[in-house]
DNA sequence: CTTGAAAGTCGGTCGAC
DNA sequence: GTCGACCGACTTTCAAG
């Protein structure tokens, strides 16, 4: 499968919103047989268009809805420093995303915590303990307008 | 359920990584009966700890792995302007996340596109068409170190 | 691609502890 | 809270067109 046809795209868009849709339900939406839908999904999985299926958890309910974006500048950009830094970052469960970025700062981190107090503790005890950091800037999330896991196909 | 016990937390952590685990598979990992696991999952769903189940799609395969973070400054912060802006932003499928933030800029947008050319087109034809924007700064993703959908419970 | 059928598994419900 | 048993619905595979 070199490119996806409209039916494949519809399947991907639907499953990105709700992976619990059965082949039967999908077959009704797509005017296809359940077997055909099944074969297409298996193909999408086999060819790695679909990487995995996950449950999404409510950050508020588990008290992890205080979100901060921390931009980090490194002292030097040697391979060793970068590998060192990324390794240390990966070990911190509060950091849910880490992007190596262009611009003034080298990394953009997304942190999920309980509240400001937890953030203060995290910064003092964990992030500033990591070597090679020269400077950070924290941007606080005031309101999450939206944050999709789905990509438009 | 006011608070989650260790078993609930384990279930949430496991399902956040792979929602296709059956109650039977979970029961073996947790030394519990499948029914007990089933009841706990249903409770977690009912009480909105688990909001939904989704398929994750490989951004590379669908040519949407060029990621840019755009920070946006508004001209004025009136309620009308904010509502207006957020509404327009929501209508753009390239924008996969939008956070109202503290600091110099008012919004942090995450954009998924094919390449730089598509980004240029997006900026010229779509983003700058939106009213009330005074200033933007684009930060390009050089490398995604990690980007989890799972939160540590 | 379709239909139909078969086998095995799972989700979901039940009564009982 | 736990468990074992049950049944219908589903997934998954296959044959045939």
């Amino acid at each position: 499968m070199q490119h996806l046809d409209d039916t494949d795209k519809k399947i991907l868009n639907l499953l990105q919103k709700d992976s619990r849709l059965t082949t039967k339900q999908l077959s009704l939406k797509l005017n296809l047989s359940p077997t055909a839908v099944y074969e297409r999904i298996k193909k999408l999985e086999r060819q790695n268009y679909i990487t995995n299926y996950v449950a999404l958890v409510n950050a508020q309910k588990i008290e992890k809805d205080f979100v901060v974006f921390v931009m980090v500048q490194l002292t030097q950009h040697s391979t060793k420093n970068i590998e060192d830094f990324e390794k240390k970052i990966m070990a911190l469960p509060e950091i849910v995303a880490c992007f190596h970025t262009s611009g003034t700062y080298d990394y953009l981190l997304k942190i999920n915590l309980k509240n400001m107090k937890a953030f203060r503790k995290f910064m003092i005890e964990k992030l500033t303990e990591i070597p090679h950091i020269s400077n950070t800037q924290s941007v606080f999330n005031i309101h999450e307008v939206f944050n999709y896991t789905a990509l438009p196909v």
Side-chain angles (χ1 to χ4, degrees), chain A:
Chain A
M1 180 166 33
Q2 280 301 340
H3 54 281
L4 303 171
D5 67 14
D6 283 351
T7 305
D8 291 322
K9 291 179 182 177
K10 278 179 192 162
I11 291 174
L12 284 179
N13 282 326
L14 288 166
L15 289 180
Q16 281 190 104
K17 284 181 196 142
D18 181 6
S19 62
R20 298 216 133 177
L21 290 167
T22 64
T23 53
K24 196 175 183 177
Q25 289 172 308
L26 287 168
S27 72
L28 293 173
K29 284 177 187 279
L30 302 167
N31 295 320
L32 227 65
S33 72
T35 310
V37 173
Y38 176 79
E39 293 299 340
R40 280 171 182 268
I41 293 174
K42 285 302 142 193
K43 202 183 278 179
L44 290 168
E45 290 171 357
R46 228 181 307 117
Q47 302 195 350
N48 227 27
Y49 282 89
I50 296 174
T51 54
N52 55 337
Y53 296 90
V54 301
L56 298 182
V57 164
N58 190 335
Q60 279 181 34
K61 296 289 285 184
I62 59 166
E63 298 187 316
K64 292 283 168 60
D65 60 333
F66 188 81
V67 177
V68 188
F69 299 95
V70 180
M71 298 185 282
V72 176
Q73 219 172 352
L74 296 190
T75 51
Q76 291 168 28
H77 304 80
S78 65
T79 307
K80 195 198 159 295
N81 278 13
I82 285 181
E83 282 175 1
D84 219 35
F85 172 79
E86 294 184 1
K87 197 176 168 185
K88 294 267 168 62
I89 287 293
M90 272 192 260
L92 299 180
E94 297 90 345
I95 306 178
V96 297
C98 172
F99 299 89
H100 184 189
T101 54
S102 72
T104 310
Y105 293 92
D106 299 306
Y107 286 93
L108 174 62
L109 311 177
K110 187 185 175 200
I111 328 271
N112 272 61
L113 293 158
K114 183 177 179 181
N115 51 29
M116 186 63 90
K117 191 179 168 186
F119 178 66
R120 175 178 147 83
K121 194 174 158 68
F122 170 79
M123 288 300 279
I124 294 172
E125 295 179 9
K126 296 198 173 177
L127 197 66
T128 55
E129 290 295 310
I130 294 177
H132 316 307
I133 294 179
S134 85
N135 180 29
T136 70
Q137 187 185 328
S138 300
V139 173
F140 294 99
N141 175 42
I142 296 170
H143 175 65
E144 183 176 302
V145 181
F146 59 87
N147 185 20
Y148 304 134
T149 54
L151 298 171
V153 184

